Amino acid sequence: VVPAKYVWALCPLSDGRLLVGTGPGGEIFSLSADGKPAPFYATDREHVLSLVPAPEGGMYAGTAGPGVLYHLTDAGKPTVLADFGDGEVRAIVVEPDGGLVCAVNGGVKVAPQEFLKALGEAGDRSGKKSPPPSGERGDKAGVVSGRLVRVGKPPSGRVRDFVAFDQSYITDLKREASGSLLVATNNSGKIFGVAADGMTSLLHDFKPNQVLALLLAEGVLRAAATGDIGTLQRIEAGPALTGNYTSEVF
């Protein structure tokens, strides 16, 4: 058992150990093959939300409270690659050239484990499927905006904003074998595709409000896990047989 309240991320190491990102407390633990936990690195942040293997060894870690992007060696030696202030690094994708794409959420006023619940409560009050997280309405969630940030190949990579998702909380980020990025959001159950030039397109729009996780098989999106309502959505390759567009009645 990992001595932490929340487990946010898992990352396997080449030596067979499994790293576990936790919170609150922002600690990373390593699990041996027999399941025994040991301290690996303490970030001094509130939560470790994302962990992915680094191609040249070690791993990348993203935190919340505040949002910091780290590179950690297999021995746990840290290097800070970017500091996003009050944002959170929700997900990390490693590009073929060694650069990174990070899903960064800003304006979040509550802890990660409370955020989606706060959005759901706001939706219940407004009667809308996906209310914009507006601080003017007094929502506990805050005025939230997600964005993708490119970080050039570490250790000296340039940090620059890539694509913004205003009034959307990014919950997951994946890269398909084709090179397209997949962005899951809390915004009316939407999954977006992002091309290399930043062109964004809506790929899927589910009835449940929140897409929480994306599952790829052989480099292609095959399933999505949702919340509010909890479902597992199977996604088949190719375009839909029929299409429709639904808008609000004015």
Side-chain angles (χ1 to χ4, degrees):
V1 177
V2 175
K5 189 173 183 179
Y6 299 105
V7 171
W8 296 111
L10 302 173
C11 179
L13 295 180
S14 58
D15 61 6
R17 290 180 296 164
L18 181 68
L19 294 188
V20 183
T22 70
E27 291 189 75
I28 301 174
F29 296 91
S30 67
L31 290 179
S32 59
D34 59 5
K36 293 181 179 179
F40 182 80
Y41 178 67
T43 65
D44 292 329
R45 315 297 174 181
E46 292 182 10
H47 300 271
V48 178
L49 298 182
S50 49
L51 289 170
V52 298
E56 298 178 358
M59 73 292 307
Y60 298 110
T63 67
V68 177
L69 174 66
Y70 294 89
H71 176 264
L72 298 169
T73 66
D74 288 338
K77 181 179 179 181
T79 300
V80 173
L81 302 179
D83 188 337
F84 300 103
D86 65 351
E88 62 175 37
V89 184
R90 189 74 200 193
I92 305 166
V93 164
V94 181
E95 296 279 69
D97 64 359
L100 307 174
V101 181
C102 300
V104 179
N105 293 310
V108 180
K109 292 184 179 180
V110 297
Q113 70 273 13
E114 300 171 356
F115 178 75
L116 293 175
K117 178 183 177 182
L119 285 183
E121 292 172 349
D124 292 340
R125 291 196 299 273
S126 70
K128 295 181 180 180
K129 179 182 177 184
S130 179
S134 170
E136 295 179 359
R137 201 176 56 240
D139 295 341
K140 294 184 290 183
V143 182
V144 179
S145 61
R147 69 189 194 273
L148 300 185
V149 179
R150 285 196 179 278
V151 180
K153 185 177 180 179
S156 57
R158 174 189 173 198
V159 179
R160 61 184 179 89
D161 284 357
F162 180 44
V163 179
F165 292 86
D166 295 333
Q167 294 188 336
S168 290
Y169 180 82
I170 300 175
T171 54
D172 199 6
L173 174 67
K174 292 289 192 297
R175 182 183 184 276
E176 289 192 301
S178 65
S180 296
L181 295 169
L182 302 172
V183 180
T185 72
N186 75 297
N187 188 356
S188 296
K190 291 184 174 70
I191 301 175
F192 296 93
V194 181
D197 61 359
M199 182 67 70
T200 302
S201 57
L202 175 62
L203 300 181
H204 301 281
D205 184 358
F206 299 116
K207 289 184 179 180
N209 281 349
Q210 303 157 359
V211 180
L212 301 180
L214 303 174
L215 175 64
L216 274 63
E218 299 179 348
V220 178
L221 179 63
R222 293 302 190 195
T226 69
D228 190 30
I229 307 164
T231 67
L232 180 64
Q233 304 280 345
R234 186 175 67 180
I235 299 172
E236 297 182 354
L241 297 178
T242 60
N244 59 74
Y245 181 82
T246 303
S247 67
E248 295 183 20
V249 177
F250 296 97

